[in-house]
Amino acid sequence: MSDKVDLATIRNIGIMAHIDAGKTTTTERMLFYSGKVHKMGEVDKGTATMDWMTQEQERGITITSAATTCTWKDFVINIIDTPGHVDFTVEVERSLRVLDGAIGIFCGVAGVQPQSETVWRQADRYKVPRIAYVNKMDRIGADYLRVVSMIRQTLGSEAYPINLPVGAEDSFSGVIDLISLKAYIYEEGLGAGYIIRDLTAEEMEEAQKHRSILLEMIAENDDYILEKYLEGQDISADELNQALRKLTISNKIVPVLCGSSFKNKGVQMLLEATVRYLPSPQDVPAVTGIDPHSGVQVQRQADAQEALCALAFKVVVDPYVGKLTYFRVYSGQIKLGSSVLNSGKKKKERITKILKMHANHREEINQAYAGDIVAGVGFKDTVTGDTLCDENSPILLESIRFPDPVVDVAIEPKTKNDQDKIGESLRKLGEEDPTFRTRINEDTGQTIISGMGELHLEIIIDRLLKEFKVNANVGNPQVSYKETIKKKHQAQAVFEKQAGGRGQYAHVIIQLRPMEEGTGKSFVNQSKAEDISPEFASAVEAGSLEAMQGGILAGYPVDDIEITLLGGSFHEVDSTEQSFKIATGMAVREALKAAEVVLLEPIMDVEIVCPEEYVGEVISDLNSRRGRVLGFEDHKGSKIIKALVPLAETFGYATSLRSASQGRASFSMQIRNYAEVPVSKSKEIVAKRFGLSL
């Protein structure tokens, strides 16, 4: 049975960071100190609660976002622990879409890293209030104030420390709270106990300096605090905390805390800050959508008495209960056995189970209310990004946009039995992961699977072999190229067929126009209804998008293009939707031939941390990979090299970098954009694609 909880005491938060900053370890400590688990698991031993997948335990990384719930004092905290690896950025995207607040975790040594920048920008896009936690303060080279400065400069956020470390590196023992001006010194071992002591004269001087800066910032944005500040009156801790809460929720400030999760120091302060400063469902703006019937904008308040409005943000194929659909309830309530409307697909869904999740453990409940994040069983047609609502009061929320995959792998089943099994398995994996795509190569008959990177596809293939028990031969990763056009061109085509009885007739005039990089594909109908009726115009749109699946240069998808239907004609008897699709395909191919088609390739942002003595070798290797160095930064005896490198040239880069630096350099990368492939390289790729020799 799920008890209705006061909305003001709910916190829906995500934990986000660069890989290896300590997200899962921090979540594990939060669960332990809140009493949710009685034994702390460790990521490197594969015993962390939130890393429950076999693939996560083997690799010591988070692959899928895991949801759990814990309580701190009288507050309910729904936590989603998200992955830090760039290949699984979709997990962060869909989690942030449904969360009210977030904790950004930063390594005390490395500070702001490429993926921490990516997840921060994702949170900016959804206007998610957040607090920052600088972890690993016990590590050699940890520098708290440097990381705070990086958050301000690199991420452009108004980051202000609300605590300071006591000691540094090996001697890190606790934190100074700038609000109460007390020191919290943690016991060794489990860190559950701590002593609160007064500050030494030296600590007080440093604390007052940072507290004054924090006070001035708060006073600038809060008239009540400003008045007391100017009059020299005492400002109580409660007043400061209330003002800080308001500024955090309005995204005007990011409070920063520090600690060492692995050494069990500072996590209780993080839990306290979570409930103190991050918003409840009542503190964030009402969710906005449209009425699917009228197209009018409508809102839903976070209130259990309002009409139901929920968003499905994740689908998981569970071997025991079937398809699990995670959803956030924004308004109203949802009961076991009830029917809800999937407003985008206009289909009713019946809920056979409602589950509260703790990683991969489930607790059955009878009802979920506004503010809850739960999973449902029984959904047949609902996928990530779909809206669930009351059929008598429909609403359609904006869906979730996902990036296109950049790496392909060919996969062939070994037996006829595997052929049948592989199709169903890939369909299930595609339902779970919107960035994973499958298609059949019509020339070779091979199944091509596409993902966000080598690791992403490695995990997918591992799951196919182990979880779905499919025997298959797997090819090497290939870059997922795209094609686009350089100039505008108009073309027309007539499809006419007469073979006894009813014939086939369609005539279309279309125009293709290049669009900016990253725009995608769009269709514009400028034809008159008397030339082409609306139903046939829809067939032209479907036919043009179908034709864009394979370009004329090397058969790669065509992107960043606008297709405009200018006109044409139809026959009252002989015209069909199919004939218009065929005519459109003919016209698109005709237009592409004259529109100067070029090949596009994914370009990666690469950041390499390298000892100074190996910089020359590393740059020489980057140049040989068509890389372009953007700049350097100094970092404690090492250099940080920032560069742009085509994805095609990064396969096997980890091995090359290890040999160039005797194993002392490390790198991370993420996709930046697609760019035109140089002509000589393009010819090489096209020739290889068709098995030709240059």
Side-chain angles (χ1 to χ4, degrees):
M1 180 74 189
S2 171
D3 296 322
K4 188 176 171 187
V5 179
D6 177 6
L7 276 172
T9 65
I10 294 176
R11 300 290 180 272
N12 290 317
I13 63 155
I15 312 278
M16 58 182 202
H18 187 89
I19 192 167
D20 207 29
K23 294 178 303 304
T24 303
T25 302
T26 303
T27 308
E28 200 70 25
R29 296 324 186 247
M30 292 171 86
L31 295 176
F32 177 76
Y33 295 128
S34 65
K36 181 72 181 183
V37 297
H38 302 294
K39 181 172 181 262
M40 282 188 270
E42 301 298 349
V43 174
D44 54 357
K45 292 177 184 170
T47 56
T49 307
M50 304 303 273
D51 283 352
W52 57 271
M53 285 175 71
T54 309
Q55 291 80 3
E56 292 175 316
Q57 292 164 357
E58 287 171 353
R59 291 166 177 78
I61 61 167
T62 301
I63 290 165
T64 182
S65 53
T68 190
T69 302
C70 65
T71 52
W72 179 252
K73 299 184 175 171
D74 295 325
F75 292 85
V76 175
I77 308 175
N78 295 317
I79 303 172
I80 296 183
D81 174 27
T82 66
H85 196 285
V86 62
D87 283 14
F88 308 106
T89 189
V90 59
E91 292 287 343
V92 185
E93 184 79 21
R94 60 180 169 190
S95 299
L96 286 172
R97 174 71 171 79
V98 297
L99 292 169
D100 301 324
I103 299 171
I105 299 184
F106 300 87
C107 170
V109 181
V112 175
Q113 295 167 278
Q115 189 61 8
S116 39
E117 196 170 339
T118 300
V119 297
W120 201 263
R121 299 277 174 254
Q122 286 172 304
D124 282 344
R125 192 160 61 247
Y126 291 118
K127 297 182 173 59
V128 176
R130 69 215 85 147
I131 54 180
Y133 173 68
V134 180
N135 190 23
K136 304 190 177 186
M137 289 305 300
D138 59 308
R139 293 275 184 94
I140 292 169
D143 187 336
Y144 178 54
L145 294 178
R146 173 181 162 271
V147 179
V148 175
S149 172
M150 285 179 85
I151 296 170
R152 292 178 72 93
Q153 289 168 16
T154 309
L155 303 178
S157 290
E158 292 293 325
Y160 287 85
I162 58 168
N163 63 26
L164 297 173
V166 176
E169 300 177 347
D170 286 352
S171 63
F172 175 70
S173 59
V175 296
I176 294 165
D177 179 19
L178 294 182
I179 307 296
S180 64
L181 291 174
K182 297 284 184 185
Y184 290 71
I185 309 300
Y186 292 86
E187 65 181 25
E188 292 302 314
L190 293 177
Y194 50 84
I195 60 162
I196 302 173
R197 65 161 173 80
D198 292 331
L199 304 185
T200 64
E202 192 181 336
E203 287 171 341
M204 183 61 86
E205 187 183 341
E206 181 72 4
Q208 286 288 15
K209 182 176 86 177
H210 289 284
R211 193 176 196 268
S212 296
I213 296 168
L214 179 66
L215 255 175
E216 281 174 24
M217 193 279 168
I218 294 172
E220 278 175 28
N221 290 278
D222 189 297
D223 292 342
Y224 176 73
I225 299 290
L226 177 64
E227 198 177 314
K228 293 192 85 167
Y229 181 69
L230 292 174
E231 290 173 5
Q233 294 181 36
D234 280 342
I235 301 166
S236 71
D238 278 351
E239 288 171 330
L240 265 182
N241 282 326
Q242 278 172 24
L244 255 176
R245 176 176 175 75
K246 268 190 242 165
L247 293 175
T248 305
I249 290 170
S250 61
N251 272 310
K252 287 182 179 162
I253 189 173
V254 175
V256 190
L257 300 94
C258 63
S260 167
S261 299
F262 186 66
K263 292 290 177 68
N264 311 314
K265 295 179 172 77
V267 179
Q268 293 96 322
M269 295 286 277
L270 181 61
L271 277 162
E272 197 61 48
T274 298
V275 301
R276 194 176 275 166
Y277 305 125
L278 289 179
S280 76
Q282 290 177 325
D283 296 317
V284 294
V287 68
T288 303
I290 60 163
D291 181 322
H293 299 317
S294 64
V296 174
Q297 197 175 82
V298 285
Q299 287 192 330
R300 292 281 190 275
Q301 302 291 336
D303 186 341
Q305 301 312 311
E306 281 242 1
L308 172 69
C309 173
L311 184 77
F313 68 95
K314 184 177 167 73
V315 173
V316 175
V317 179
D318 187 285
Y320 302 107
V321 296
K323 193 165 88 171
L324 277 177
T325 305
Y326 285 72
F327 58 91
R328 156 77 190 264
V329 184
Y330 285 104
S331 64
Q333 45 192 287
I334 196 163
K335 292 180 183 174
L336 186 64
S338 63
S339 287
V340 296
L341 176 71
N342 179 327
S343 55
K345 295 201 169 78
K346 298 183 174 58
K347 290 191 175 177
K348 280 191 190 177
E349 296 275 29
R350 187 171 170 78
I351 301 162
T352 56
K353 278 183 186 173
I354 304 174
L355 305 167
K356 229 176 192 8
M357 301 301 294
H358 177 49
N360 63 330
H361 300 291
R362 299 169 292 273
E363 176 198 337
E364 289 195 29
I365 57 176
N366 294 333
Q367 204 158 352
Y369 300 91
D372 284 344
I373 292 177
V374 292
V377 179
F379 295 101
K380 288 188 172 66
D381 300 298
T382 300
V383 296
T384 299
D386 283 356
T387 306
L388 304 169
C389 61
D390 185 330
E391 59 182 306
N392 297 318
S393 188
I395 183 173
L396 181 62
L397 302 179
E398 186 185 345
S399 192
I400 308 171
R401 285 190 65 186
F402 299 108
D404 287 330
V406 293
V407 178
D408 294 344
V409 162
I411 185 164
E412 288 180 338
K414 288 185 176 175
T415 67
K416 176 73 178 76
N417 189 34
D418 290 316
Q419 174 78 54
D420 301 334
K421 204 190 285 185
I422 201 169
E424 180 62 16
S425 304
L426 291 172
R427 186 188 62 76
K428 286 179 178 176
L429 289 167
E431 278 184 355
E432 283 192 18
D433 185 350
T435 59
F436 168 66
R437 314 267 169 85
T438 307
R439 71 178 192 278
I440 304 293
N441 183 322
E442 289 180 9
D443 297 328
T444 63
Q446 287 178 312
T447 299
I448 308 293
I449 59 175
S450 307
M452 298 306 296
E454 287 183 88
L455 180 62
H456 185 200
L457 288 179
E458 187 187 310
I459 301 295
I460 293 277
I461 290 160
D462 199 45
R463 288 188 65 193
L464 270 177
L465 303 178
K466 290 180 180 171
E467 195 178 311
F468 293 93
K469 306 284 190 295
V470 172
N471 293 309
N473 296 316
V474 180
N476 292 322
Q478 307 287 333
V479 176
S480 185
Y481 293 100
K482 289 181 183 178
E483 296 179 23
T484 195
I485 58 173
K486 299 277 279 184
K487 59 185 187 185
K488 186 163 73 172
H489 194 73
Q490 188 176 313
Q492 62 178 313
V494 176
F495 175 67
E496 199 167 7
K497 201 172 181 185
Q498 203 71 42
R502 186 176 172 183
Q504 296 275 345
Y505 177 83
H507 170 216
V508 295
I509 306 167
I510 60 153
Q511 176 188 276
L512 302 185
R513 184 168 73 90
M515 303 286 279
E516 281 183 29
E517 193 272 321
T519 312
K521 294 178 278 286
S522 64
F523 178 81
V524 179
N525 180 11
Q526 287 184 1
S527 67
K528 294 174 182 168
E530 58 265 28
D531 293 335
I532 294 183
S533 68
E535 64 171 308
F536 294 142
S538 297
V540 172
E541 180 176 3
S544 61
L545 295 176
E546 225 170 77
M548 295 294 155
Q549 296 303 312
I552 61 164
L553 193 61
Y556 290 109
V558 184
D559 211 9
D560 300 333
I561 192 166
E562 182 186 79
I563 309 117
T564 304
L565 173 59
L566 299 172
S569 61
F570 68 97
H571 189 279
E572 289 289 351
V573 177
D574 291 347
S575 288
T576 62
E577 289 187 19
Q578 188 58 33
S579 59
F580 269 93
K581 276 188 181 180
I582 294 168
T584 303
M586 291 161 62
V588 165
R589 282 189 291 278
E590 198 61 41
L592 286 173
K593 283 175 191 170
E596 206 178 310
V597 178
V598 293
L599 212 54
L600 299 175
E601 64 180 341
I603 304 294
M604 309 304 284
D605 252 327
V606 180
E607 187 171 286
I608 303 153
V609 180
C610 168
E612 291 199 18
E613 59 264 38
Y614 301 112
V615 168
E617 288 96 321
V618 170
I619 288 174
S620 172
D621 184 45
L622 283 174
N623 289 336
S624 73
R625 294 171 181 272
R626 296 194 285 133
R628 180 160 65 90
V629 176
L630 300 177
F632 303 90
E633 284 177 22
D634 292 318
H635 178 61
K636 297 189 183 296
S638 293
K639 278 268 194 258
I640 297 175
I641 305 167
K642 296 192 174 186
L644 296 178
V645 185
L647 175 65
E649 309 292 344
T650 64
F651 294 134
Y653 184 57
T655 308
S656 297
L657 186 63
R658 272 198 297 271
S659 60
S661 64
Q662 295 186 6
R664 292 174 61 197
S666 63
F667 82 102
S668 59
M669 67 178 186
Q670 62 192 38
I671 186 164
R672 176 156 177 155
N673 60 347
Y674 269 78
E676 191 178 331
V677 179
V679 175
S680 58
K681 190 73 185 171
S682 178
K683 285 178 180 172
E684 193 183 305
I685 293 163
V686 173
K688 191 177 174 186
R689 176 88 161 163
F690 293 113
L692 305 171
S693 55
L694 286 173

